[in-house]
Amino acid sequence: MGIVEKIKEIEEEMARTQKNKYHLGTLKAKLAKYRAQLLEPTGKSGGAGTGFDVQKSGDARVALIGFPSVGKSTLLSKCTHTVSETAAYEFTTLTAIPGVIEYQGARIQLLDLPGIVEGASQGRGRGRQVVSTAKTADLILIMMDATKSDEQRRLLEYELDAVGIRLNKQRPDVVFKRKTTGGITLNITVRLTKTDEKTIRSILASYKLHNCDVMIREDITTDEFIDVLIGTRKYMPCLYVYNKIDAISMEQLDKLARTDHTVVISCEMSLNLDYLIERIWAELGLVKVYTKKRGAHPDLNDPICLRKGATIEGVCVGVHRSLVTNFRYALVWVSHLPLSKSDTGLFNCHCQGKSSKFAPHAQKVGLSHLVQDEDVVSIFTK
Ligand SMILES: Nc1nc2c(ncn2[C@@H]2O[C@H](COP(=O)(O)OP(=O)(O)OP(=O)(O)O)[C@@H](O)[C@H]2O)c(=O)[nH]1
Ligand SMILES: [K+]
Ligand SMILES: [Mg+2]
C-alpha cells in the first residue's frame, strides 16, 4: 500500500474514532509520520520535497499561494516590473516567476507561483513543488477570489498545514530533549485543557521515545505536541489577500476587510495595492539603517535593510564583510526622538524630499548592539 493510501486509511479511521481521545492521539501521530514521509525527497532529481529553482534575491521573499485564476500573476505584474502572463483560464502560470517590490529602500522578492488544487500536499498537480517553494519564503500571501466561497481559505490552510507549515502561529512552548537512557521525564507546568498526560505519553510511546525530557509550559493541543516531536514544522507569517473586490458588494467587502491578517484588493482596478505593500512590509518586520561617513550627512536614499532583531554586526556585513574583522566600535544616532524645546543640536537631513531628525548625541556601541528602524550608524575600524 502506498503512503497516500495509508494516509487515507488513517483519516477514515480517525473519522470513526472521534470520541476516543486516546486512540485519536495515536492515529494523529501516525498520520503526521506518513505525511512527513510524503515530503521527503525520493532521491530522484526533482524529488517530492523540492521547490522551484529560483534564486533568492533582495531583503526578503514573499510567496503567492492560491487556487488558479485568483489573480496572482496580475498582482505580480502590477506591483513589480516583471510581467507574468495572466489569462481567464486556469493554470496559466506553470512555474515560479520572481519579481521585485521596491519599498522604503527595501527590495522584496515577490514569487508568483502556479495555482494549487485540493490535494496539492499529496502530490496533485504541481502542488508539492509549490508548497515546498512557499516554505522558503519569509511571508506567505494566501490569495483568494473575493467572489468565491470562503471554503477556499480553509482548503488552502489545510494544504499548507499538511506539509508542516503553521500560519501565524508561535512555536509551542515545549522543551523536548532526546536521551539515551533514564526513561521519560514529563514536566507539565500549566493545566492542560486540550490534551492530557495520558495522551502525551501514548504519543511518545508511538514514536518509540522511551528516553527523553519533556517540559510543557503552555496549554497545547495534541497536534501541537506532535509538531514539537516532529521538529520540522515551519512557523510562518501569512496575509490573507482577497482579490477582485470590484466584483462584490460593500457588505461583503466590509465583512472580509474586518477579518484578522486580511487585506482586500482589486488588482484590475488597482484598489488598495499600496496598502497591501505597507502590510507586507510590516509583516516582514524589516529594519532600515542609514550609514554615515565621518563629517558627512547620512545617505537617506540608500538604507541597509535588515531583519528585525539585527545587530551592528548585520550592518557591517551589509556594507562589507571585512568590517566585522576590523571592527572597533560604532556610533548610533537614534531617529524620530520627540523634539524638545529647540531643535538645535539635532542634525537635520533633507534628501530628495525626505527629511528626518536625529538625536544630537550618538551612542557608542559594539557588534552585538541591536539596531532599530531608521537608526543612523557610523562604523569605525582598526
Ligand atoms: N474582476 C477582476 N478580475 C481580475 C482581477 N485581477 C485579476 N483578474 C482576472 O482574473 C483572471 C486570472 O488572473 P491571473 O492573474 O491569470 O490569475 P492567476 O492566479 O495567476 O492564475 P493561474 O496562473 O492560472 O493560477 C484574469 O482574467 C484577470 O483579468 C480583479 O481585481 N478583478
Ligand atoms: K489564470
Ligand atoms: Mg498565474
Side-chain angles (χ1 to χ4, degrees), residues 67-75 85-93 112-115 243-247 265-269:
F67 288 123
S69 277
V70 294
K72 301 179 293 298
S73 304
T74 314
L75 181 70
E85 196 189 340
T86 65
Y89 56 83
E90 305 202 330
F91 301 108
T92 311
T93 310
D112 182 21
L113 290 164
N243 185 31
K244 310 195 187 183
I245 56 166
D246 51 280
I265 58 167
S266 165
C267 290
E268 211 142 88
M269 313 269 286

Side-chain angles (χ1 to χ4, degrees), residues 316-363:
C316 290
V317 172
V319 180
H320 195 278
R321 227 165 227 295
S322 68
L323 288 182
V324 180
T325 2
N326 297 324
F327 182 84
R328 254 173 70 217
Y329 65 91
L331 292 180
V332 175
W333 289 264
V334 177
S335 90
H336 291 316
L337 286 181
L339 298 184
S340 55
K341 284 163 262 162
S342 95
D343 283 4
T344 36
L346 291 184
F347 70 80
N348 291 289
C349 209
H350 300 278
C351 222
Q352 293 190 4
K354 289 188 202 164
S355 169
S356 297
K357 292 184 194 308
F358 300 93
H361 301 295
Q363 198 188 343

Side-chain angles (χ1 to χ4, degrees), residues 40 69 78-79 106 126 189 212 253 270 284 305 324 326 349 371:
E40 276 163 19
S69 277
K78 283 270 173 165
C79 297
R126 272 157 205 259
T189 65
C212 57
L253 173 62
S270 291
L284 289 171
C305 273
V324 180
N326 297 324
C349 209
V371 290

Side-chain angles (χ1 to χ4, degrees), residues 39 63 130-138 140 163-165 232 234 236:
L39 279 175
V130 171
V131 287
S132 301
T133 310
K135 270 192 176 174
T136 67
D138 302 292
I140 291 184
V163 297
I165 296 177
T232 53
K234 189 132 196 241
M236 304 184 72

Side-chain angles (χ1 to χ4, degrees), residues 51-181:
F52 293 98
D53 196 12
V54 178
Q55 183 131 32
K56 273 200 178 185
S57 77
D59 302 300
R61 171 179 271 191
V62 178
L64 275 166
I65 298 282
F67 288 123
S69 277
V70 294
K72 301 179 293 298
S73 304
T74 314
L75 181 70
L76 185 91
S77 304
K78 283 270 173 165
C79 297
T80 73
H81 295 298
T82 307
V83 177
S84 182
E85 196 189 340
T86 65
Y89 56 83
E90 305 202 330
F91 301 108
T92 311
T93 310
L94 293 175
T95 183
I97 316 254
V100 178
I101 299 175
E102 285 169 32
Y103 183 71
Q104 302 245 22
R107 291 172 58 79
I108 300 165
Q109 184 181 52
L110 182 64
L111 261 195
D112 182 21
L113 290 164
I116 62 171
V117 287
E118 229 187 307
S121 56
Q122 307 199 347
R124 279 195 66 202
R126 272 157 205 259
R128 264 147 85 188
Q129 228 179 337
V130 171
V131 287
S132 301
T133 310
K135 270 192 176 174
T136 67
D138 302 292
L139 169 68
I140 291 184
L141 296 189
I142 292 200
M143 196 156 176
M144 288 166 291
D145 185 333
T147 67
K148 300 228 166 108
S149 125
D150 216 27
E151 175 77 349
Q152 52 184 332
R153 176 164 169 164
R154 206 190 51 73
L155 290 171
L156 288 164
E157 282 173 338
Y158 176 86
E159 296 301 336
L160 292 175
D161 190 82
V163 297
I165 296 177
R166 302 290 177 260
L167 298 172
N168 297 329
K169 278 204 188 119
Q170 295 294 316
R171 190 175 293 281
D173 193 0
V174 175
V175 182
F176 167 70
K177 267 195 223 109
R178 279 169 203 273
K179 292 185 303 190
T180 44
T181 54

